[in-house]
Amino acid sequence: MYAERASRLAGAVVWTNTPAGPRPGRVLPDGCMDLLWQDGRLLVAGPDTRAHLTEASPAPWAGVRFPPGTAPALLGVPAVELRDRRVDLTDLWPAARARRLAALVNAAGDPAEGLERAALSRAAETAPPDPLLGRIAAALDAGRPVAATADELGIGARLLHRRSVAAFGYGPKTLARVLRLQRALALARAGTPLAETAARTGFADQAHLTRDVRELTGVTPGELLG
């Protein structure tokens, strides 16, 4: 069973998941990065360009999902280095430092609460995210073209690409595609017909939506929504 709630860390989400059966899970691209807990270990999930299939395991998970572009400053590593990866926190931080954080999380009665406290503590120690990154993500999530986004923010296309790769893990075109997928799925899950969903989220037609969903998630919209 999956559950989530808004975090006390602005824009973040705290979630828990206990798989209900033996089948692998499917984590869809969303432009975010997560700090994860499972069985006493801390891991980091990088930004995905395609669906990530989780192992068929009944072990519970907990996580803090950071808004697009915000995790690299907290973790001290460019997002592109973690693209399509799940890595142990000890691979990113000195082992002693990572173990201390894991001990704090494991000492909490609720791992999700412990993760949230750890994220809040880390955020208090680091400079706030560059507001430009939030403006980039918001413009692309609103369906603004990449070139128009660069012009409106007063930065060149090359700088936009460099900043996006470091902060989001991929260029602005890929980020826009991932965010469009999430907008489309939100509409479709709310009962909007696929043809209307495609038109409202910037796809050429329903066939274009179907192709994009299959490429990004590995399954058709019908399979995904079913």
Side-chain angles (χ1 to χ4, degrees), residues 99-136:
R99 284 196 297 266
R100 284 196 301 270
L101 189 65
L104 289 173
V105 174
N106 290 324
D110 175 8
E113 177 67 21
L115 280 174
E116 183 179 29
R117 291 178 188 169
L120 287 165
S121 176
R122 180 61 183 158
E125 299 171 351
T126 58
D130 184 345
L132 176 64
L133 301 175
R135 294 168 64 194
I136 292 172

Side-chain angles (χ1 to χ4, degrees), residues 1-112:
M1 176 180 294
Y2 176 85
E4 67 176 41
R5 63 172 174 82
S7 171
R8 287 170 288 165
L9 182 63
V13 171
V14 178
W15 59 267
T16 57
N17 186 36
T18 301
R23 294 184 300 175
R26 187 180 300 272
V27 180
L28 305 184
D30 59 6
C32 300
M33 294 173 60
D34 294 60
L35 179 62
L36 309 172
W37 173 94
Q38 187 193 45
D39 196 24
R41 297 171 57 215
L42 295 185
L43 304 97
V44 176
D48 293 321
T49 59
R50 58 186 180 276
H52 172 78
L53 297 181
T54 63
E55 296 179 0
S57 168
W61 288 83
V64 174
R65 181 177 306 116
F66 302 101
T70 60
L74 297 177
L75 298 173
V77 59
V80 66
E81 295 186 10
L82 300 175
R83 185 172 60 200
D84 293 319
R85 299 177 63 199
R86 273 49 177 175
V87 300
D88 197 296
L89 187 61
T90 55
D91 293 334
L92 304 178
W93 287 7
R97 181 181 171 199
R99 284 196 297 266
R100 284 196 301 270
L101 189 65
L104 289 173
V105 174
N106 290 324
D110 175 8

Side-chain angles (χ1 to χ4, degrees), residues 11 13 39 72 95 119 121-122 133 159 166 174 179 183 185 193 199 209 219 222 226:
V13 171
D39 196 24
S121 176
R122 180 61 183 158
L133 301 175
L159 179 57
T174 299
L179 295 176
R183 294 198 308 275
L185 291 178
L209 167 64
V219 294

